[in-house]
Amino acid sequence: MVGIVFFFIINSTMEVKLKAKDLISTQRRWYSSEALDSVYYKVPVKRRSKIGKIKDNCFCSRTRVWKVLTTLLPIIKFIEKYKTPNILGDFLSGLTATFLHLPQGLGFGILAGLQPINGLYTTFFPVLIYMFFGTSPHVSFGSNAVMALLTQTVVKREADRYLSSNALHLISTINHSDESTGNSSSRYLQNNLEDIKVGAAMTASLLTGLILAGLGICRLGFLTRYMSVSFIGGFTTAAAIHIASSQVPKMLGIVVSPHSGAGKLVKMYIELFSNIELAVISELVIAVITIIILLIVKILINEKYKDRMKIPIPIDFIVVIIGTIVSYFGKFENNFDVKIVGDIPSGFPMPKVPALHTASSMIMDCVVMAILSLAMTISLAKLTAKKHGISIDDNQELIAYGISNIGSSFFSCFPQATAPPRTMVLSNLGAKSTLNAIPTGLIILLIILWIGTLFESLPVAILAAMIIVAMKNLLMQFGDIPRLWRINKFDCIIWLITFSVSVLVDLDYGLMAGIGFSILSIVIQNQMASGKVIGYSDREDIFVDSKNRVHVIEISSIKIFQYQAPLHFANAENFRKILYSQVADAIKLKNRKEKDEIVKVENQDVSEKGKKLEQNIRHIILDFQMISNVDLSGINILTQIMKEYKAVDIEIYIVKCSSKITETLRAADFFENFPKENMLYDLADAVYVINSNKATDNNENTTTKSNLRENTKL
């Protein structure tokens, strides 16, 4: 006899006494769900109407104004709580981040299909705007390789559209004009083309910002939780492949025609290798030397000795300076046919409103950019916040990203996000507030106004090599694949599908494929949801999964079944199928019962074979502990199961049902067919009720201990 059942029947009270001295001894009576609700009933809450709630919130006070102001402008909180010792950490981290901002700004400006100066603008304005509206001291909002690559797609598409619409005019001008007039028209077309590119980037920045700010205003920051790590990992790794691939022609000094659409990366490599004999050896040598130097310093010094170094060696900045000096005095452009950055205008452009007539053609691109900007930035913000024990506001972060993109769109910038290397520098050097943007902004300001022109001799191959090295951590995500496979097969498949489609087709297709399969995987996993039979320990009073466990028994007359998924339209039949296969098939039992009754009528006796066909199972307990949701299809299948088991004299009990599901069952009139007393609080309650009913049916004398042990065996 099971000990816990024996004790229940003696007293109708459950009691658990802990062996250790001075610990709490707990006791309780058995409960049905209805009885529990009657004892621990919910206190009715007076609900206010919508209008009443609005009236309650329509008031003004100094505290309320301060709260609203500090929420919209978190920099006020940083200043209010600022401490003098934080100055050094903010200054050093901001200064060090600048050493990454400069080369990345120049390189990502070119990567976006624009001029290097546009990259510097995108490094300057977003950093300062985020300083006022952001809540993370470690987010370095500005130029980002993935955003630059996606901007390049938009920019090239608008440029091609402009060229195709003006091609006939240009040909006509050249054919009917002298050489000087033709050159003038060509220059005019080229200048217009640059304006079209910048205008497209500005419009993309504005739309991306509006989308992000809209999500923040609507308090939709929770959407970030639905972006799986595997999806982001596969997509960013594929983006790193695209980014690195876009720099390979620049390292080789080969000009390839722009490709767009499905398979553009494959087309680019086909064209590249078809023209490999045109490679400029000098540019390849410069790029290889740059890669070797950067990897040696970053891996063997900065990463290896990061705990001993207060500031990592700003090798990117050093390489840019040395490369510029050597190129300038060595006249690389003339002597070795090396392409250089070229003209970098000083000063800022006049602010202008982005052209909105092209907005309709790039809205989907901007949705993708907004999602990726959000995913990449918020994930790093949360990572560093967890590391330093601080909190960030998801919704305010969305607003900050949106305002940064919107504000900078008026100053010839392209869409932005944070960059992992810059964020990790701010985190490792102990930035305490967004005020670390001040030294960054001041230095970038000096570069834009005066110093930028000094970098005109910088070889493009150096920037290309630096961008490829910057993708190192993203490319190293390939190492996550075996771990993902061990943890969750579906996560690994999501990673591989997102990566493969993004690389072989294009990034936007990869985004859709990744999101689509992520949703499909949830459906598949629900379809593949499993159930398990719960057994009872022969050593102590505990219910555990009985599969492949020692010291766990399954009781012949009572079966306990636990389903491990929500019960809805997509898997209701699966629930019934698993229950019937693992516990008892009501249909087969009914057929056997009918066949047995026929035998009784014909032979007026029950054969031994017929007796063996009689079922042992008399009670089934459905454990709803892991069922978080149930819909009408699930309720219908429960009703059907209950009727089918009732036809073969098997009684159903439901335990551990949440109040939410209980209310759903009540609203669906489930209890018109299912006894309320069979809805019980816990497994122990169900076992107690079953055995109490047994004792009553058998007219047992519950005062005799020996009889109890014999008659209450399950």
Side-chain angles (χ1 to χ4, degrees):
M1 169 52 215
V2 181
I4 188 170
V5 176
F6 162 67
F7 193 77
F8 287 172
I9 298 179
I10 288 181
N11 202 332
S12 78
T13 300
M14 295 190 297
E15 182 174 0
V16 180
K17 292 187 177 179
L18 304 178
K19 293 182 179 180
K21 292 182 178 180
D22 301 326
L23 294 180
I24 296 174
S25 176
T26 62
Q27 64 179 11
R28 70 172 177 87
R29 55 161 290 186
W30 71 269
Y31 282 111
S32 66
S33 294
E34 189 175 23
L36 184 75
D37 290 338
S38 66
V39 176
Y40 300 99
Y41 59 88
K42 294 182 179 180
V43 178
V45 179
K46 185 179 180 181
R47 297 186 179 277
R48 294 278 287 166
S49 64
K50 297 288 185 182
I51 297 176
K53 290 181 180 180
I54 293 173
K55 288 181 178 179
D56 290 343
N57 286 294
C58 289
F59 69 92
C60 185
S61 67
R62 181 178 297 179
T63 303
R64 188 176 179 85
V65 170
W66 178 255
K67 183 179 180 181
V68 171
L69 187 62
T70 54
T71 299
L72 294 176
L73 291 170
I75 191 174
I76 298 175
K77 281 186 180 180
F78 286 124
I79 294 174
E80 181 190 18
K81 299 178 181 180
Y82 204 76
K83 297 178 182 179
T84 305
N86 294 342
I87 295 177
L88 182 61
D90 282 340
F91 177 78
L92 289 178
S93 59
L95 179 65
T96 307
T98 308
F99 297 146
L100 292 174
H101 270 293
L102 173 61
Q104 288 181 354
L106 294 171
F108 297 160
I110 297 174
L111 178 61
L114 306 172
Q115 298 299 316
I117 191 63
N118 296 106
L120 293 180
Y121 296 153
T122 308
T123 290
F124 177 75
F125 290 103
V127 168
L128 295 182
I129 296 173
Y130 182 84
M131 178 180 71
F132 289 95
F133 296 97
T135 63
S136 172
H138 309 115
V139 165
S140 178
F141 210 74
S143 58
N144 174 277
V146 177
M147 303 300 287
L149 183 67
L150 295 174
T151 302
Q152 182 190 78
T153 302
V154 174
V155 165
K156 284 186 175 180
R157 186 172 63 235
E158 295 302 319
D160 291 343
R161 186 175 300 166
Y162 174 77
L163 287 175
S164 62
S165 63
N166 289 273
L168 293 176
H169 172 72
L170 178 61
I171 294 171
S172 175
T173 302
I174 294 175
N175 290 338
H176 296 86
S177 305
D178 56 25
E179 183 177 349
S180 59
T181 306
N183 290 337
S184 176
S185 298
S186 179
R187 284 194 301 271
Y188 174 78
L189 188 63
Q190 184 64 33
N191 292 336
N192 277 357
L193 183 61
E194 289 299 324
D195 291 340
I196 292 296
K197 289 181 177 181
V198 174
M202 293 167 61
T203 303
S205 180
L206 177 63
L207 293 178
T208 301
L210 289 173
I211 294 169
L212 288 168
L215 292 173
I217 293 171
C218 295
R219 320 304 289 174
L220 297 177
F222 68 89
L223 292 175
T224 58
R225 303 168 194 169
Y226 294 94
M227 298 177 185
S228 67
V229 174
S230 54
F231 163 70
I232 294 175
F235 188 88
T236 52
T237 305
I241 295 289
H242 277 271
I243 292 166
S245 298
S246 69
Q247 301 307 302
V248 172
K250 296 173 183 176
M251 289 175 53
L252 297 172
I254 300 174
V255 178
V256 295
S257 55
H259 298 279
S260 60
K264 70 175 187 180
L265 198 61
V266 177
K267 296 174 186 176
M268 187 276 289
Y269 273 111
I270 291 174
E271 181 181 350
L272 178 66
F273 287 112
S274 299
N275 300 303
I276 195 67
E277 70 277 359
L278 302 177
V280 180
I281 301 301
S282 55
E283 297 212 42
L284 178 60
V285 171
I286 291 172
V288 170
I289 292 174
T290 302
I291 290 175
I292 292 173
I293 293 173
L294 290 173
L295 290 177
I296 288 175
V297 176
K298 287 176 180 287
I299 297 175
L300 299 182
I301 300 178
N302 286 353
E303 292 183 11
K304 188 175 182 179
Y305 300 102
K306 61 182 179 181
D307 296 332
R308 303 181 187 178
M309 302 170 64
K310 293 184 177 180
I311 299 177
I313 298 174
I315 188 60
D316 300 83
F317 188 70
I318 293 172
V319 166
V320 166
I321 293 176
I322 295 176
T324 303
I325 293 173
V326 173
S327 174
Y328 177 78
F329 288 102
K331 300 186 185 303
F332 279 12
E333 183 181 18
N334 298 325
N335 295 337
F336 303 103
D337 196 24
V338 172
K339 294 182 180 65
I340 61 174
V341 169
D343 182 47
I344 300 179
S346 59
F348 290 96
M350 288 295 294
K352 56 183 178 181
V353 179
L356 295 178
H357 65 275
T358 59
S360 59
S361 64
M362 62 177 71
I363 186 66
M364 288 309 300
D365 299 276
C366 294
V367 169
V368 172
M369 285 190 271
I371 292 172
L372 290 177
S373 176
L374 166 61
M376 291 185 292
T377 308
I378 202 73
S379 60
L380 284 171
K382 288 184 175 180
L383 177 66
T384 54
K386 183 179 179 181
K387 177 181 177 182
H388 294 276
I390 61 176
S391 61
I392 61 170
D393 184 338
D394 288 359
N395 294 309
Q396 181 59 29
E397 282 292 295
L398 280 169
I399 293 173
Y401 307 156
I403 294 177
S404 296
N405 274 282
I406 293 170
S408 59
S409 68
F410 296 93
F411 296 94
S412 303
C413 297
F414 54 87
Q416 314 103 42
T418 192
R422 300 197 304 264
T423 294
M424 298 317 296
V425 162
L426 293 178
S427 174
N428 294 335
L429 294 181
K432 301 298 182 183
S433 70
T434 57
L435 296 174
N436 64 73
I438 293 177
T440 299
L442 288 175
I443 296 174
I444 298 298
L445 176 64
L446 294 175
I447 292 172
I448 292 174
L449 292 178
W450 297 290
I451 306 175
T453 55
L454 300 178
F455 296 101
E456 292 179 353
S457 298
L458 176 65
V460 172
I462 290 181
L463 289 177
M466 293 176 69
I467 292 173
I468 290 176
V469 173
M471 298 300 104
K472 174 176 66 72
N473 291 334
L474 293 179
L475 294 173
M476 288 178 66
Q477 291 180 127
F478 279 112
D480 295 339
I481 296 177
R483 181 170 175 266
L484 284 174
W485 183 259
R486 290 194 302 270
I487 296 173
N488 188 299
K489 304 295 188 295
F490 280 99
D491 269 353
C492 186
I493 295 172
I494 290 170
W495 197 104
L496 292 172
I497 288 178
T498 306
F499 172 81
S500 301
V501 176
S502 298
V503 170
L504 298 177
V505 186
D506 204 355
L507 288 173
D508 50 353
Y509 291 96
L511 183 71
M512 291 185 287
I515 293 175
F517 189 77
S518 296
I519 296 172
L520 180 62
S521 70
I522 296 174
V523 176
I524 294 174
Q525 289 181 75
N526 274 329
Q527 288 292 321
M528 296 175 62
S530 61
K532 59 184 179 182
V533 176
I534 305 297
Y536 191 80
S537 169
D538 61 3
R539 292 190 167 190
E540 56 183 325
D541 300 337
I542 187 172
F543 297 94
V544 292
D545 177 12
S546 62
K547 186 176 181 180
N548 300 329
R549 289 182 186 269
V550 297
H551 306 300
V552 178
I553 59 175
E554 289 186 26
I555 303 148
S556 59
S557 61
I558 299 176
K559 292 296 181 183
I560 305 170
F561 178 75
Q562 184 184 81
Y563 191 61
Q564 299 174 305
L567 185 57
H568 48 62
F569 68 94
N571 61 3
E573 282 297 334
N574 185 53
F575 169 78
R576 180 173 176 267
K577 179 181 177 182
I578 295 175
L579 174 64
Y580 282 13
S581 66
Q582 293 193 15
V583 178
D585 191 326
I587 304 300
K588 290 182 178 179
L589 289 174
K590 184 180 179 181
N591 293 336
R592 288 177 181 177
K593 183 178 179 182
E594 292 174 351
K595 183 178 179 181
D596 187 43
E597 288 176 352
I598 294 173
V599 171
K600 286 181 181 180
V601 172
E602 291 179 350
N603 300 335
Q604 299 298 318
D605 189 19
V606 181
S607 64
E608 288 297 322
K609 183 177 181 181
K611 290 181 180 179
K612 289 181 181 179
L613 289 175
E614 290 182 0
Q615 54 169 315
N616 292 322
I617 300 174
R618 310 305 304 168
H619 309 276
I620 294 177
I621 303 173
L622 300 179
D623 185 348
F624 271 35
Q625 181 180 10
M626 302 186 73
I627 297 180
S628 59
N629 182 44
V630 62
D631 66 359
L632 189 58
S633 298
I635 295 172
N636 290 338
I637 210 73
L638 281 174
T639 304
Q640 180 184 347
I641 288 169
M642 182 192 66
K643 291 179 179 178
E644 291 174 349
Y645 276 126
K646 188 176 181 179
V648 292
D649 301 322
I650 296 178
E651 193 166 9
I652 301 293
Y653 296 84
I654 297 176
V655 302
K656 296 184 180 180
C657 187
S658 69
S659 57
K660 174 187 173 184
I661 294 180
T662 303
E663 290 297 326
T664 304
L665 295 175
R666 187 177 290 114
D669 299 325
F670 177 73
F671 295 109
E672 290 184 1
N673 300 307
F674 185 81
K676 290 183 179 180
E677 58 269 19
N678 284 14
M679 285 282 292
L680 296 154
Y681 175 66
D682 202 352
L683 286 171
D685 297 292
V687 172
Y688 168 74
V689 169
I690 291 169
N691 284 278
S692 294
N693 293 338
K694 279 186 179 182
T696 302
D697 293 341
N698 295 329
N699 294 318
E700 296 285 332
N701 183 356
T702 58
T703 60
T704 306
K705 187 174 181 180
S706 61
N707 289 342
L708 281 171
R709 289 178 179 270
E710 181 66 26
N711 292 324
T712 56
K713 289 183 179 180
L714 299 179

